[in-house]
Amino acid sequence: MSNLIPSPITSTVDLDADGSHHGFLKLPYSRDDSAWGFVMIPITVVRNGAGPTALFTGANHGDEYEGPIALFDLAYSLQPNEISGRVIIVPGMNYPALQSGTRTSQIDLRNLNRTFPGRPDGTVTEKIADYFQRVLLPLSDIVVDCHAGGKTMEFLPFSAAHIVPDKSQEAEAFRLVEAFGAPYSVKMLEIDTVGLYDTAAEDLGKVFVSPELGGGGTATAASVGRTKRGLRNVLIASGILKGTLEKQPTQWVDMPDQDCFTFAEDAGLIEFSVDLGDHVAKGDIVARIWSISRTGVGPVRILSRRSGMVLGRHFPGLVKPGDFVVLIADLID
Ligand code: ZN
């Protein structure tokens, strides 16, 4: 029973102490270039007396940058006298993946967001998941995990929460999504829930919010600014941070079924016929794939499986069979 083994990760900061404390989650990792080495995951804990605990993370996927940038900034600037309660900030949750600028860890090639609940006696990524599962999530009331499209996807900026069985938990998550104030707010459907951090947090009864803030493996002034404001808004709306909400207009969108997702069955150059924010009808051409192996061959057309608005798309210029092409969502009045 691996869950009876204590986590090998130790925190250099006291998670319960008042004040602002910067340190590391130290994960022992013996390897060729460092026999007695550790993976040093930066963490900040800001606490001021009683109140709720917010757990903020970035780089669950290492090629998504808005979260890490906004969270290093928040960790540097947030003062204990501004808050009631506790804010735990881990800007680089899958730290080895952030170091290499890749979605997955280059140590064990694991996707942290498919690894929950993890194992204390597993690989490096499994040990990180287990520490969040058994140490940090139980301390928390509100969990915000910042994502973006990464190198292979681009999204219109949105903040999302899931439909969950507990309706008061769900209502609180949607309230915080609205407070985050991204241009779009989403009632999220997942393609594959096995091993998600989202599910791990929600199953423990935590209020979970997941922004998807841009993409392409970079960040813009607008996307980082939006993330910084959204995170402060969530802290204010949960009664942790003093101040007034910088309310932003948001358009609610719904992803009701798997027809929202379209995938490629061919390889080649992808020529989009629609862009983010465009509206499509079922059967419209959303993209054409041109083979790069010869001239004189027509493109394969990719048709929309439903009507709605283009919320996300494949980012690189080349596409392969099985790649995600577009995400089409419904606007809600
Ligand atoms: Zn992600």
Side-chain angles (χ1 to χ4, degrees):
M1 287 295 284
S2 64
N3 63 1
L4 298 177
I5 302 170
S7 172
I9 297 177
T10 51
S11 173
T12 66
V13 297
D14 181 345
L15 300 173
D16 296 318
D18 273 328
S20 176
H21 303 278
H22 308 284
F24 300 95
L25 301 174
K26 292 182 66 178
L27 188 166
Y29 174 45
S30 175
R31 57 200 191 266
D32 288 345
D33 70 336
S34 188
W36 289 358
F38 285 81
V39 174
M40 304 286 281
I41 304 169
I43 182 172
T44 289
V45 181
V46 185
R47 180 164 202 169
N48 184 20
T53 292
L55 172 60
F56 284 179
T57 48
N60 183 332
H61 295 129
D63 61 349
E64 302 171 359
Y65 295 105
E66 285 83 357
I69 295 167
L71 290 171
F72 275 109
D73 181 273
L74 184 67
Y76 180 67
S77 58
L78 188 65
Q79 297 301 317
N81 61 12
E82 296 178 277
I83 68 165
S84 307
R86 174 168 56 179
V87 185
I88 301 173
I89 304 168
V90 183
M93 191 184 184
N94 193 349
Y95 192 68
L98 178 62
Q99 285 179 297
S100 56
T102 51
R103 182 170 179 84
T104 61
S105 171
Q106 295 307 289
I107 294 173
D108 56 16
L109 302 180
R110 293 292 299 258
N111 176 346
L112 177 59
N113 216 25
R114 300 292 183 276
T115 301
F116 279 82
R119 295 176 65 96
D121 56 354
T123 67
V124 165
T125 308
E126 288 175 312
K127 286 170 179 167
I128 295 171
D130 171 70
Y131 187 81
F132 275 83
Q133 177 79 42
R134 291 194 297 152
V135 179
L136 294 182
L137 283 178
L139 295 175
S140 307
D141 303 293
I142 297 129
V143 182
V144 180
D145 187 34
C146 297
H147 287 260
K151 287 177 177 165
T152 67
M153 300 188 287
E154 183 181 30
F155 293 110
L156 286 178
F158 68 85
S159 184
H162 295 107
I163 309 287
V164 294
D166 180 333
K167 290 303 154 192
S168 66
Q169 179 188 358
E170 177 185 296
E172 181 62 2
F174 287 139
R175 189 181 74 83
L176 294 184
V177 164
E178 183 126 12
F180 189 98
Y184 296 89
S185 293
V186 176
K187 299 187 175 179
M188 190 81 166
L189 177 74
E190 295 290 347
I191 297 173
D192 173 17
T193 60
V194 176
L196 286 182
Y197 179 48
D198 314 36
T199 315
E202 285 159 357
D203 286 352
L204 290 170
K206 309 306 178 183
V207 172
F208 187 88
V209 171
S210 179
E212 288 277 1
L213 293 150
T218 188
T220 64
S223 67
V224 170
R226 213 175 267 134
T227 310
K228 290 181 182 180
R229 182 180 60 221
L231 291 170
R232 295 188 84 88
N233 275 351
V234 167
L235 288 178
I236 291 166
S238 12
I240 295 174
L241 180 63
K242 294 162 194 156
T244 38
L245 215 60
E246 264 191 73
K247 254 197 147 180
Q248 297 293 314
T250 189
Q251 166 70 55
W252 278 91
V253 299
D254 194 14
M255 291 162 53
D257 56 51
Q258 295 291 337
D259 285 346
C260 296
F261 303 97
T262 305
F263 295 88
E265 296 181 355
D266 298 272
L269 289 168
I270 187 156
E271 177 194 356
F272 281 98
S273 315
V274 291
D275 288 317
L276 295 179
D278 284 352
H279 294 261
V280 298
K282 185 175 177 177
D284 281 359
I285 299 171
V286 292
R288 305 196 296 170
I289 300 175
W290 292 94
S291 167
I292 60 168
S293 57
R294 62 176 69 242
T295 55
V297 176
V300 174
R301 300 183 308 174
I302 299 187
L303 307 182
S304 173
R305 298 168 62 198
R306 69 194 315 283
S307 62
M309 186 193 68
V310 181
L311 187 63
R313 70 169 186 114
H314 177 84
F315 190 76
L318 291 173
V319 70
K320 312 180 291 304
D323 282 357
F324 158 77
V325 174
V326 287
L327 168 61
I328 295 169
D330 271 341
L331 300 186
I332 303 172
D333 292 332

